[in-house]
Amino acid sequence: MARMRGKRLKGRPLRRYALFVALAGLFGILLLQTSPRLRSMIDPARTVAADQLASSARPGLWDRITGTSAREARIRELEAEVRELTRYRQVAISMAARLEAYEDMLNIMGEPPVRGVTARITSETNGPFREAILVNAGAMQGVEEGAYAENEGGLVGRVVQLGERSARVLLVTDFNSRVPVMGEASGMRAILYGDRDDLGSLTDLPEKGDFILGERVLTSGEGGIFPRGIVVGEVVRRGGDQRVIFSMNRAPGGFVRLMPSMKIPRPEDFPVEEPADETETAASDETESGASNPGAP
Amino acid sequence: MAKTRNAPDSRFAGVGRLWREAGPTTRLSVGTLLVLAIGLIGLTPKSVFGTELTWPYAALVAAFGWGRSGLAFRPMIILVIVGFAQDVSAYAPLGCFGFINLTTFGLSALVHRSFDRERSPVITTLSPIVIYAIGFAQVWLFASFNSNHIVQIAPIMQTFVITYILHIIIAPVFDLGRRASPIPGSRA
């Protein structure tokens, strides 16, 4: 019996040896990892494997099925965006503070704060006589005489009639409107008026130079009605002539924003009044200097 | 009436018959898939009402079950590979869980070849407790050596209990069908 048992035990020596060899090998690997140098070689691979296999940041199957992982990914994305924008916000605040300091140092007159009223278009007049719109904001809402109207696309027109609760805006597409414009790229100046085919025509063009096809047309600020730089349209060629597509038609919403005109008063409107005693003093000084130095011019 | 009552039995009988007819390779494949499935589910965050669930070491159950059928190359290779995956997922030193799985496998083979040829209920009940206890003692030792301080025993004990419960439930799946024959001259 003992012989048979011994035979059976000897039947699988290879497997037994393999088990011991495997155990010894694994224990050897464990011991090798006590060396900091070897561990530093193994750790990067371990980290990558752990990230792929067991990272808690990786979504589980249930999260993928229910869409939680997608929502969490989107939240992480937005959080990263907020962090990035917060950084830009800090930069913007810092730059605004520096700009303010520089402007104070240089004594620059800044732009006046923008005041405007958004109004709903209550009716439109597109008849053969005049192209105008009526809006539900007037003097009571703070609309001023000569205000101009714009929408998301660009310049719409200017207020030609102002009531207490409403105002009539003459559209730039009207034949009677005249808008001083300039090419954004070419810098060419002209006067724009509306024509019958819903396109703008340019007149009073300079003798030399031309608008560039496709460039934007902006208000030039001449005349003091419209401030400089409001988008009016885009230059196109129709029938051999340069015409302007009005950009206000790209945003045909039911609202316009009425902005006060940027009229800069002329110097003669508000002349500097010199004090009387100072004038007299200056005159007496001139007399005295002339008497003491008769050869001076 | 009798047919209706026997219907579920016949369904399970079919599964039982299939399992009885399955060879060691099929059983090993099914067992490996089960270990991988339990391990992969264990990688996902698991909590119920804010309490983190303890997850069993399915590979240890497999090592014990496969060891009952005697030493073999394929289970050893699978246990080493699964052990490496456990090392990576548990941030243990490489080879740690492979060593523990193989030790359990070898101990299981030794115990059942030496004492459990008749599959007596006492040995069948007690041997997994003893072998798992040795396995978890190794886990505790390796963890303590690795972290240079004595680690807590309570979490390891919880895992030990959960692993034993898992053993009670799925141990038959890790039976490869080979059985160390009774010692000649014995009664069984």
Side-chain angles (χ1 to χ4, degrees):
Chain A
M1 188 180 83
R3 201 171 63 192
M4 284 182 72
R5 188 175 178 182
K7 212 183 246 180
R8 201 178 299 115
L9 286 175
K10 284 177 189 170
R12 294 177 180 174
L14 193 61
R15 291 170 188 173
R16 209 177 312 145
Y17 294 151
L19 177 65
F20 287 128
V21 167
L23 283 170
L26 290 170
F27 196 71
I29 292 172
L30 281 169
L31 287 179
L32 282 175
Q33 288 172 77
T34 55
S35 160
R37 184 181 289 180
L38 281 171
R39 188 145 194 166
S40 67
M41 290 166 66
I42 293 170
D43 275 349
R46 274 182 59 93
T47 308
V48 171
D51 283 345
Q52 292 298 317
L53 191 64
S55 171
S56 59
R58 285 170 66 82
L61 182 64
W62 181 249
D63 289 344
R64 287 183 191 175
I65 292 167
T66 56
T68 310
S69 60
R71 283 196 296 274
E72 285 178 354
R74 181 68 183 147
I75 288 168
R76 278 196 294 275
E77 195 179 304
L78 290 172
E79 281 176 347
E81 202 171 314
V82 166
R83 278 195 295 275
E84 185 76 5
L85 289 175
T86 305
R87 196 166 63 83
Y88 279 113
R89 182 166 163 262
Q90 298 301 327
V91 172
I93 289 169
S94 163
M95 287 180 72
R98 285 170 61 186
L99 185 65
E100 196 177 339
Y102 291 152
E103 284 183 352
D104 282 347
M105 279 191 280
L106 294 170
N107 198 23
I108 291 176
M109 291 300 294
E111 295 288 333
V114 177
R115 295 171 289 118
V117 178
T118 301
R120 179 187 285 276
I121 300 169
T122 52
S123 66
E124 294 187 23
T125 311
N126 292 326
F129 300 102
R130 179 165 282 199
E131 291 195 16
I133 54 173
L134 195 68
V135 297
N136 66 346
M140 279 178 69
Q141 284 76 34
V143 181
E144 295 174 4
E145 194 77 48
Y148 68 93
E150 62 180 0
N151 64 8
E152 301 96 298
L155 186 68
V156 173
R158 65 187 175 90
V159 173
V160 288
Q161 280 183 333
L162 181 65
E164 288 233 330
R165 292 181 174 81
S166 64
R168 178 162 282 116
V169 176
L170 182 70
L171 299 178
V172 288
T173 53
D174 189 84
F175 183 75
N176 295 307
S177 78
R178 294 289 184 276
V179 182
V181 295
M182 56 185 273
E184 187 179 31
S186 63
M188 296 293 293
R189 307 295 174 106
I191 301 293
L192 177 72
Y193 63 94
D195 220 332
R196 287 164 298 189
D197 50 2
D198 280 344
L199 292 175
S201 295
L202 295 163
T203 183
D204 292 342
L205 288 159
E207 289 182 4
K208 288 184 179 177
D210 221 344
F211 280 84
I212 301 167
L213 277 180
E215 75 172 324
R216 291 201 303 178
V217 175
L218 314 175
T219 53
S220 64
E222 290 163 346
I225 303 288
F226 304 105
R228 184 177 171 141
I230 303 172
V231 179
V232 180
E234 191 179 308
V235 177
V236 292
R237 186 171 289 279
R238 291 283 190 279
D241 294 330
Q242 284 189 330
R243 307 290 300 280
V244 174
I245 293 177
F246 290 105
S247 55
M248 59 171 267
N249 293 328
R250 288 180 193 158
F255 292 90
V256 290
R257 189 162 178 80
L258 300 167
M259 308 291 285
S261 69
M262 301 288 179
K263 276 186 180 171
I264 302 170
R266 294 174 300 175
E268 52 268 30
D269 292 342
F270 300 98
V272 178
E273 291 179 9
E274 293 180 356
D277 53 341
E278 281 184 12
T279 314
E280 285 170 8
T281 312
S284 62
D285 285 348
E286 280 176 8
T287 313
E288 283 175 12
S289 64
S292 61
N293 188 10
Chain B
M1 185 70 185
K3 193 178 178 183
T4 311
R5 197 167 50 227
N6 291 335
D9 295 340
S10 62
R11 258 205 319 269
F12 289 119
V15 176
R17 186 170 51 80
L18 275 174
W19 184 248
R20 273 195 304 276
E21 290 172 358
T25 306
T26 308
R27 292 183 177 207
L28 187 67
S29 305
V30 172
T32 307
L33 287 175
L34 188 63
V35 170
L36 292 177
I38 293 171
L40 284 174
I41 294 167
L43 291 176
T44 59
K46 306 162 294 298
S47 59
V48 175
F49 305 120
T51 308
E52 194 71 20
L53 291 180
T54 306
W55 205 248
Y57 289 167
L60 220 56
V61 180
F64 180 85
W66 290 335
R68 291 179 77 183
S69 302
L71 296 177
F73 284 113
R74 287 181 300 177
M76 281 196 277
I77 294 167
I78 290 166
L79 288 171
V80 170
I81 293 169
V82 172
F84 279 124
Q86 285 179 282
D87 295 333
V88 170
S89 64
Y91 298 94
L94 280 182
C96 174
F97 275 99
F99 187 87
I100 293 164
N101 290 344
L102 279 190
T103 311
T104 307
F105 178 72
L107 279 175
S108 175
L110 177 70
V111 166
H112 289 96
R113 197 185 60 197
S114 305
F115 309 112
D116 196 25
R117 288 176 183 273
E118 289 81 20
R119 299 266 166 114
S120 69
V122 178
I123 302 287
T124 307
T125 309
L126 287 179
S127 63
I129 295 172
V130 174
I131 292 172
Y132 290 151
I134 293 169
F136 280 100
Q138 289 179 91
V139 173
W140 179 78
L141 273 174
F142 281 127
S144 298
F145 276 116
N146 188 50
S147 54
N148 285 325
H149 68 88
I150 293 174
V151 298
Q152 284 187 327
I153 295 176
I156 294 175
M157 287 299 292
Q158 287 172 10
T159 313
F160 171 58
V161 172
I162 297 294
T163 304
Y164 186 68
I165 292 169
L166 183 74
H167 167 87
I168 294 167
I169 297 166
I170 65 164
V173 179
F174 299 110
D175 182 4
L176 293 180
R178 288 193 304 253
R179 190 167 172 179
S181 57
I183 296 167
S186 67
R187 283 197 302 172

